[in-house]
Amino acid sequence: MTYVVVENCIKCKYMDCVEVCPVDCFYEGENMLVINPDECIDCGVCEPECPADAIKADTESGLESWLKLNSDFSRVWPNITSKRDAEPDAKAFDGEDGKLEKYFSSKPGQGD
């Protein structure tokens, strides 16, 4: 089992999760974070820290495409271990449907 970041992170990118991760397995894109599933130790401390409820255990059904997205982009985006401010309009996008198709950016973030 591993944890994955899902759609609700897009355009929110709260970073509460990165500070509690004991193995620094978060990677930063332009407008979301991902978890490297090969580095995640399944401790679960990140899941309750996410204000957008955007971190899920990969044992939940229907997350295969998110596991692949997390795996693929954690290989090319920079590592992030320090919390910064969320996106300025995060609250406005929190809970919006269809964010993957509308807003996802494959561009890397700044990382640490």
Side-chain angles (χ1 to χ4, degrees):
M1 184 178 86
T2 187
Y3 286 84
V4 296
V5 179
V6 298
E7 185 171 46
N8 206 40
C9 185
I10 299 169
K11 297 285 283 178
C12 291
K13 200 165 80 169
Y14 293 105
M15 296 190 185
D16 304 62
C17 54
V18 301
E19 284 197 324
V20 299
C21 180
V23 294
D24 300 334
C25 66
F26 282 88
Y27 292 81
E28 184 184 12
E30 181 178 42
N31 65 6
M32 78 172 291
L33 303 173
V34 294
I35 293 172
N36 183 319
D38 296 327
E39 296 174 357
C40 178
I41 60 170
D42 313 323
C43 67
V45 296
C46 61
E47 186 179 24
E49 295 299 316
C50 181
D53 194 30
I55 299 174
K56 306 289 182 188
D58 74 343
T59 54
E60 291 187 29
S61 63
L63 295 181
E64 296 80 14
S65 64
W66 288 104
L67 180 59
K68 181 172 177 10
L69 186 142
N70 277 245
S71 181
D72 291 349
F73 285 99
S74 66
R75 291 186 177 102
V76 295
W77 287 350
N79 189 243
I80 180 80
T81 60
S82 300
K83 179 181 176 180
R84 292 193 312 272
D85 291 337
E87 296 290 305
D89 48 3
K91 288 184 182 184
F93 287 98
D94 190 352
E96 183 177 325
D97 290 330
K99 293 199 293 183
L100 180 64
E101 294 80 21
K102 289 190 254 182
Y103 308 119
F104 175 75
S105 170
S106 61
K107 294 177 184 174
Q110 72 182 57
D112 282 340

